Amino acid sequence: MKGWMGKIKALSLLGFLALILSGCGKENLTALVPKGYGAEVSMDLIILTTVVMLVVFAVVMAIFIFVLIRFRKKKGQEDFIPKQVEGNHTLETVWTVIPILLLIIIAIPTVLATFDLADETEASDSINIDVTGYQFWWHFDYQGEDFQTSQDIYIPVGEKVYFNMLSSDVIHYFWVPSLSGKLDVNPENENTFYIEAYEEGVYWGKCAEFCGPSHSLMDFKVIVVSKEEYEQWVADMKNVDPDEEPESAVAVEGKELFQENNCMGCHAIGSSPVQTGPNLTNFGNRETLAGVEDLDKDTLVKWLLDPEEIKPGNKMTDNYPALNKEDAEKIAEYLLQLKHTDITSESAEN
Ligand code: CUA
């Protein structure tokens, strides 16, 4: 009875831990609930390899337990030596051939999936987005559309969207766990893969290669909307007027400070080749600041006063004139009203 109680306690503790730990992840940031083609293919491979491993584990444990019981030392047989079977050709053939077969079972679908996910035959007829990885943010250039953005990518649901990736500095790693497999972002050779999302929604992306002190903060988002919403978003993004005058007086002052402090030297608003820092078009519609913090005025002011505190090792720290709190608040006011379209992450979630 006592033994059973112990087991029940241990099981409840495990269940409780699993429940708590499952709360640690963000929604749409798991490869285990695939919502896109690449992620689904990867999940099938995860299931296949797990089944193979479990079968191997079960067989090895069964033989192990059988041998433990069957050949244990018995009373009166202390000096007994069982029949020695080393060099047995049949046995050695069996335990060489079985792993080879298992590897073939895993290798064939893996290689097929690798070629399938790297297939570029439809790229020229599809949406192509040039991705550049920077320490520690992402630049996106929609080919043929003449506009750029950063951190948030909008794509239409149910369509193959091709990503052509390069890094401007070190090796990064582009990964949207719920939607796709992952791919290296190298400084030299361009890597291409596609994402095909099954459902509208907001999906978290991660850099999956250690790239410096803020590697774990190099998040981005893929916002999957309907085809009509996507087309509207593209039209709005192409129509951005960077010189547009803000409505509130404080934001107008903020805009002047933004120009006086030469923030545009690094941050473009609207279509521009400048990409020393993230393009800020549509910045006010983003949910996150620097990829990781909830975007609100207080956090933005904190960022403008000391970005190092939020994202260690970033290239903005000490590369602009020191701001006082009042000026930082005005600039924040200006940046937060940069809303260039009605298509937002809420469009994806409704
Ligand atoms: Cu970029 Cu890790």
Side-chain angles (χ1 to χ4, degrees):
M1 188 64 190
K2 212 175 168 204
W4 278 110
M5 279 309 285
K7 274 178 200 148
I8 290 170
K9 274 187 194 161
L11 272 178
S12 353
L13 184 68
L14 260 178
F16 183 62
L17 270 178
L19 197 70
I20 291 191
L21 291 175
S22 64
C24 293
K26 291 184 177 112
E27 203 191 346
N28 288 336
L29 178 54
T30 170
L32 301 180
V33 187
K35 306 254 178 91
Y37 181 67
E40 192 185 25
V41 170
S42 309
M43 188 62 200
D44 290 345
L45 291 175
I46 291 172
I47 292 171
L48 173 72
T49 42
T50 309
V51 167
V52 169
M53 285 186 286
L54 284 176
V55 169
V56 170
F57 179 76
V59 170
V60 169
M61 288 315 284
I63 296 174
F64 174 65
I65 290 165
F66 170 76
V67 169
L68 270 189
I69 295 170
R70 175 77 176 74
F71 298 106
R72 71 191 186 282
K73 199 184 261 181
K74 297 186 186 96
K75 267 216 171 100
Q77 292 186 356
E78 279 81 3
D79 298 331
F80 173 73
I81 304 237
K83 188 183 163 203
Q84 300 300 295
V85 292
E86 76 223 41
N88 182 309
H89 281 202
T90 316
L91 263 184
E92 292 200 352
T93 310
V94 167
W95 67 48
T96 307
V97 169
I98 290 178
I100 291 176
L101 289 178
L102 291 177
L103 281 181
I104 291 173
I105 290 174
I106 294 175
I108 291 175
T110 305
V111 172
L112 288 177
T114 307
F115 280 100
D116 179 17
L117 295 178
D119 178 39
E120 291 179 31
T121 45
E122 291 171 44
S124 52
D125 303 323
S126 306
I127 297 165
N128 275 261
I129 302 172
D130 293 338
V131 176
T132 319
Y134 288 84
Q135 283 170 316
F136 302 94
W137 56 279
W138 300 90
H139 176 85
F140 305 115
D141 192 336
Y142 284 65
Q143 265 183 31
E145 300 287 7
D146 194 31
F147 72 85
Q148 299 81 24
T149 186
S150 65
Q151 300 301 85
D152 287 5
I153 324 169
Y154 284 72
I155 62 168
V157 70
E159 256 183 63
K160 281 185 181 174
V161 177
Y162 285 79
F163 293 85
N164 309 300
M165 304 185 236
L166 270 179
S167 168
S168 76
D169 36 50
V170 297
I171 299 175
H172 302 279
Y173 217 121
F174 189 91
W175 190 29
V176 192
S178 301
L179 295 182
S180 69
K182 40 182 164 172
L183 199 62
D184 261 315
V185 182
N186 296 314
E188 276 155 17
N189 59 311
E190 188 178 87
N191 279 342
T192 298
F193 84 157
Y194 62 88
I195 283 183
E196 184 183 347
Y198 295 154
E199 289 172 29
E200 291 183 31
V202 178
Y203 300 90
W204 284 79
K206 281 278 183 189
C207 176
E209 176 84 40
F210 181 70
C211 56
S214 282
H215 149 71
S216 66
L217 307 176
M218 196 172 157
D219 294 7
F220 60 100
K221 286 208 198 101
V222 178
I223 297 156
V224 181
V225 291
S226 70
K227 191 166 171 57
E228 299 72 42
E229 285 167 328
Y230 173 75
E231 279 164 6
Q232 181 63 49
W233 181 80
V234 170
D236 293 341
M237 291 295 279
K238 280 157 79 173
N239 261 329
V240 172
D241 172 12
D243 297 321
E244 196 181 356
E245 212 50 17
E247 279 173 24
S248 88
V250 182
V252 171
E253 277 186 72
K255 186 186 172 196
E256 280 158 15
L257 286 164
F258 190 81
Q259 288 166 343
E260 277 165 28
N261 286 289
N262 198 26
C263 304
M264 311 96 78
C266 299
H267 298 283
I269 294 166
S271 179
S272 161
V274 173
Q275 46 180 288
T276 311
N279 184 302
L280 298 179
T281 310
N282 205 27
F283 178 79
N285 272 333
R286 296 181 194 167
E287 281 177 358
T288 40
L289 165 69
V292 283
E293 295 280 339
D294 287 341
L295 178 60
D296 56 46
K297 193 170 169 190
D298 288 346
T299 321
L300 182 52
V301 168
K302 198 172 127 194
W303 169 268
L304 290 169
L305 293 175
D306 184 13
E308 197 64 14
E309 201 186 320
I310 292 178
K311 217 165 193 178
N314 78 82
K315 299 277 159 69
M316 178 161 147
T317 303
D318 295 337
N319 275 320
Y320 61 103
L323 297 169
N324 60 43
K325 190 152 188 243
E326 205 185 322
D327 287 354
E329 279 174 353
K330 288 175 186 164
I331 294 178
E333 191 79 22
Y334 167 60
L335 294 176
L336 288 171
Q337 58 83 54
L338 291 173
K339 296 182 176 177
H340 297 116
T341 170
D342 292 335
I343 309 299
T344 63
S345 50
E346 274 171 29
S347 321
E349 277 156 347
N350 292 333

